Coordinates of all heavy atoms in Angstrom, one line a residue:
G27 N -46.7 -25.2 -27.3 CA -47.6 -24.5 -28.3 C -48.4 -23.4 -27.6 O -48.5 -22.3 -28.1
G40 N -40.8 2.7 -24.0 CA -40.3 3.5 -22.9 C -41.2 4.8 -22.7 O -41.7 5.4 -23.7
E50 N -45.9 18.1 -12.3 CA -46.6 17.0 -11.8 C -48.1 16.9 -12.2 O -48.6 15.9 -12.5 CB -46.6 17.0 -10.2 CG -47.3 15.8 -9.6 CD -47.3 15.9 -8.1 OE1 -46.2 16.1 -7.5 OE2 -48.3 15.7 -7.4
A89 N -34.8 18.7 -16.8 CA -34.3 18.3 -18.2 C -33.1 17.3 -18.0 O -33.0 16.4 -18.8 CB -33.9 19.5 -18.9
L170 N -63.2 40.0 -27.3 CA -63.0 41.1 -26.2 C -62.9 42.4 -26.9 O -63.3 43.4 -26.3 CB -61.7 40.8 -25.4 CG -61.7 39.5 -24.6 CD1 -60.4 39.4 -23.8 CD2 -62.9 39.5 -23.6
L234 N -52.8 38.5 -20.5 CA -52.6 37.2 -21.1 C -51.4 36.5 -20.3 O -50.3 37.0 -20.2 CB -52.2 37.3 -22.5 CG -51.9 36.0 -23.3 CD1 -53.0 35.0 -23.3 CD2 -51.5 36.4 -24.8
V293 N -69.7 20.6 -27.2 CA -69.3 21.1 -28.5 C -69.2 20.1 -29.6 O -69.0 20.5 -30.7 CB -67.9 21.8 -28.4 CG1 -68.0 23.0 -27.4 CG2 -66.8 20.9 -27.9

Side-chain angles (χ1 to χ4, degrees):
E50 178 182 317
L170 296 181
L234 176 58
V293 296

